[in-house]
Amino acid sequence: MQVESATGPIDTANLGFTYMHEHLIAATPGLYTSYPHLWEGDKIEREATERLRRVHAKGVRTIIDMSPADFHRDPLLARRVSAASGVNILETTGAYVHSILYFNTQECDLIADLFVRDIAVGINGTDIKAAVIKGATGPDGVTPTNEKHLRAAARAHRRTGAPISTHTDMRTHRGLDQQRVFREEGVDLGRVVIGHSGDAMDIPYLEQLIENGSYIGLDRFGIDLMLPEEQRIELLVELCRRGFAERMVLSHDASAMVDFVSPAFRAQPNWNWDTLVDRILPEARKRGVTEEHIRLMTVDNPRAIFEAQGPY
Ligand SMILES: [Zn+2]
């Protein structure tokens, strides 16, 4: 089976070890059109390539660049960085919590049309196609605008078959709200990843998300200011012990460039693409996480998510 990447279609068998939620660029849309002197494109490209080369040497083969149009998405940069580093990069459509204002006044189906265009035709006027659809719900919950974004994501998913992957505020259990909206839209929840599900030691909530059929993303390793590394590892180990590895995917939510977090947040020492392979997985192995668990979370589950294809 094939999946679209920044360098063109690739075989799903070649996805390999995959980080399911990262960013090349997580930046303010439009800012760099008005203030181009702020844009350090060459530096971003150089650093992204260097960092991905480094983790490629450690076995990482694919990252999902979870940056839609409202994150200053740059598919041509993704194509160059992918070719230079050897790491596959899959691109994203959909919407973040604070999305582009244009969506506020548009009908749901028109927004879905734009998402479908990214998947079927290409992003930013290129022939690079999105492979995944982002939905995002913050602590304010499913506001009318947010509900429209989620329904647009759901409709684009059903029209194209591209999987949905979400941003949630875990502490307010927003994943359950998202599942409710998706279910109302007829979405098979097994084709959804509820992201940012490793930010609190809340196993009953996570069990509910999994029972409802979705994958969960423990996808912020290195963001120790939200939950310290020790607890993130403890959560990972306990969920594997309970037999949930087949419904989990792993990542850092790290980026080569992010412009909307504080310098202290950005400076977290382990918020990078090395942390899982260098720190987390070796420690998890010591605590009983098996090679089979790791293979499921990093290789088999990502592949299965992108092999569940076809509109319905
Ligand atoms: Zn993210």
mmCIF file of all heavy atoms in Angstrom, residues 21 23 134 196 253, ligand 1:
data_model
loop_
_atom_site.group_PDB
_atom_site.id
_atom_site.type_symbol
_atom_site.label_atom_id
_atom_site.label_comp_id
_atom_site.label_asym_id
_atom_site.label_seq_id
_atom_site.Cartn_x
_atom_site.Cartn_y
_atom_site.Cartn_z
ATOM 1 N N HIS A 21 3.793 12.412 15.977
ATOM 2 C CA HIS A 21 3.365 13.820 16.135
ATOM 3 C C HIS A 21 4.571 14.723 16.403
ATOM 4 O O HIS A 21 4.997 14.877 17.547
ATOM 5 C CB HIS A 21 2.339 13.947 17.269
ATOM 6 C CG HIS A 21 1.710 15.312 17.349
ATOM 7 N ND1 HIS A 21 0.344 15.519 17.372
ATOM 8 C CD2 HIS A 21 2.258 16.556 17.419
ATOM 9 C CE1 HIS A 21 0.088 16.811 17.439
ATOM 10 N NE2 HIS A 21 1.236 17.469 17.480
ATOM 11 N N HIS A 23 6.802 18.395 14.514
ATOM 12 C CA HIS A 23 6.630 19.561 13.632
ATOM 13 C C HIS A 23 7.970 19.953 13.054
ATOM 14 O O HIS A 23 8.963 19.996 13.777
ATOM 15 C CB HIS A 23 6.101 20.769 14.413
ATOM 16 C CG HIS A 23 4.779 20.539 15.063
ATOM 17 N ND1 HIS A 23 3.587 20.761 14.417
ATOM 18 C CD2 HIS A 23 4.451 20.088 16.297
ATOM 19 C CE1 HIS A 23 2.583 20.462 15.227
ATOM 20 N NE2 HIS A 23 3.075 20.050 16.374
ATOM 21 N N LYS A 134 -5.603 16.984 10.876
ATOM 22 C CA LYS A 134 -5.511 17.379 12.284
ATOM 23 C C LYS A 134 -6.832 17.975 12.772
ATOM 24 O O LYS A 134 -7.462 18.777 12.092
ATOM 25 C CB LYS A 134 -4.403 18.420 12.433
ATOM 26 C CG LYS A 134 -4.150 18.868 13.862
ATOM 27 C CD LYS A 134 -2.870 19.710 13.921
ATOM 28 C CE LYS A 134 -2.461 19.981 15.348
ATOM 29 N NZ LYS A 134 -1.026 20.331 15.443
ATOM 30 N N HIS A 196 -1.739 13.922 22.443
ATOM 31 C CA HIS A 196 -1.395 14.568 23.722
ATOM 32 C C HIS A 196 -2.057 13.837 24.891
ATOM 33 O O HIS A 196 -2.577 14.449 25.827
ATOM 34 C CB HIS A 196 -1.742 16.058 23.695
ATOM 35 C CG HIS A 196 -1.159 16.788 22.512
ATOM 36 N ND1 HIS A 196 -0.108 16.280 21.781
ATOM 37 C CD2 HIS A 196 -1.477 17.971 21.926
ATOM 38 C CE1 HIS A 196 0.188 17.125 20.796
ATOM 39 N NE2 HIS A 196 -0.628 18.151 20.860
ATOM 40 N N ASP A 253 6.216 15.881 19.966
ATOM 41 C CA ASP A 253 5.621 17.197 19.666
ATOM 42 C C ASP A 253 6.717 18.268 19.630
ATOM 43 O O ASP A 253 6.502 19.423 20.005
ATOM 44 C CB ASP A 253 4.543 17.565 20.703
ATOM 45 C CG ASP A 253 3.560 18.621 20.195
ATOM 46 O OD1 ASP A 253 3.583 18.939 18.990
ATOM 47 O OD2 ASP A 253 2.771 19.132 21.012
HETATM 48 ZN ZN ZN B 1 1.803 19.397 17.945
#
